[in-house]
Amino acid sequence: MVRRSLGAALWSLVGLFACFLGGLSALVGTGAGRGLLGRIAARVVAGAIDGHITVANISGPLLTGMTLTDVNVYGPDSGVVAALPRVELSYSPFDFAAGRVVLQEVHLTRPVINLVQHKNRRLNLEDLLRLGRPSTGPQTPPALVLLRNVSIDDGTVVLRLQSTPAPQDSALEIEPAGADGRWRIRRFEHVDGRFASLRLSSPAARGIRADVQSLAVGITDPRVRITDLTGRITVVGDSLDADVSRLRLPASAVSVRGQVRWPHDTMLYALDVRADSATLGDVGFLDPRFAKAAVMRGRVGVRSHGGRVLEVRLDPLALRDGTGTLTGKVTAITAADSGLVALRQADLMAQDFSLEFARPFMDTLPFAGRLTGHTVADGPLSDLDLQ
């Protein structure tokens, strides 16, 4: 009797669930039903952000996915954070019912993302997603906003960061912002990417995390073209952590681990790079005096000492410039206003290596020609101990 009653109860539950799905399918087949579900979804999204969203048109089955056109996402200051001409989504309605914004697939066509840092140093995206607010009592944890299987075709990201006047401003894109300070603008153009997941907010972890399967983008400041990137990137406040197993530039292939921070107007680096093959012309933004055709292999450690001094350690180093080669190790110290100022523990073996490679970095170089042999150097360039 008990077994029969349990079986009847289970079949009743299955029947009720089937009726529920059938009723929901019938509901989304009507204009009123679509409108109702659209309002429910909008309410769930609105509960996860500060701001509002406008949508010109919704199509698709709605129960498990939809296609949106001309979507605009506005922050709490009414500024446009994202303009999305076409968005294709798939999802489980049970995630929305549980108050989670979890999308199983997202396809964005020609999206434009505007990231703005206000004078209080907060990004508009942080305000939109309620991230990192100062505590004023009991805090409601941020909602889970997780996008899986994200693809982006021909996107654009415009990044406006606070900036104070500097001598190199004439070579940069600067925009006055009135009472909100002034911005240095960096553009990320023709973004084509595939992401296994993109976590925008979470009640259990801080920051934005992207698990990148492939990414190609052109950057205007510094001017560089990334043809492929694979790895994990996490942004928390004013810092970016990278664990990038593959980073390809037009003529280079490297991997990168470490952190970049940008407190105030300063970029601070703590990076370890393995270069399988790096053509120096691809990284001319680091120093335009590099010989563009030279190719480097080895490991590079980049460390900032404050906002002015940068230490670059190359160990091991294998550099080819034309027919000449240079191998060994060296640590170079550069200053923001002076360029290369010192060498530390340089121990190098040259084979038919042109001295013209070094000339742009030195005020005077009383030699010309090609170098073969062992060189040891240490100290400031003004008083270099050279053997």
Side-chain angles (χ1 to χ4, degrees), residues 245-306:
S245 59
R246 182 175 71 236
L247 173 61
R248 296 189 184 278
L249 307 175
S252 304
V254 305
S255 61
V256 182
R257 279 189 172 185
Q259 185 183 75
V260 179
R261 297 190 297 119
W262 51 91
H264 304 295
D265 300 327
T266 306
M267 296 291 284
L268 302 176
Y269 300 91
L271 298 173
D272 293 301
V273 182
R274 187 188 72 203
D276 296 327
S277 176
T279 301
L280 297 190
D282 282 343
V283 293
F285 60 89
L286 295 177
D287 197 315
R289 295 171 294 181
F290 284 144
K292 291 180 172 52
V295 178
M296 189 198 80
R297 292 178 175 83
R299 294 184 178 271
V300 184
V302 183
R303 299 290 184 275
S304 293
H305 299 283

Side-chain angles (χ1 to χ4, degrees), residues 54 79 315 349:
T54 63
D315 182 12
M349 182 66 67

Side-chain angles (χ1 to χ4, degrees), residues 142-163:
L144 177 63
V145 180
L146 176 63
L147 317 181
R148 294 193 175 102
N149 301 310
V150 180
S151 61
I152 300 173
D153 293 335
D154 196 19
T156 300
V157 178
V158 181
L159 179 62
R160 289 173 167 86
L161 294 179
Q162 291 289 323
S163 173

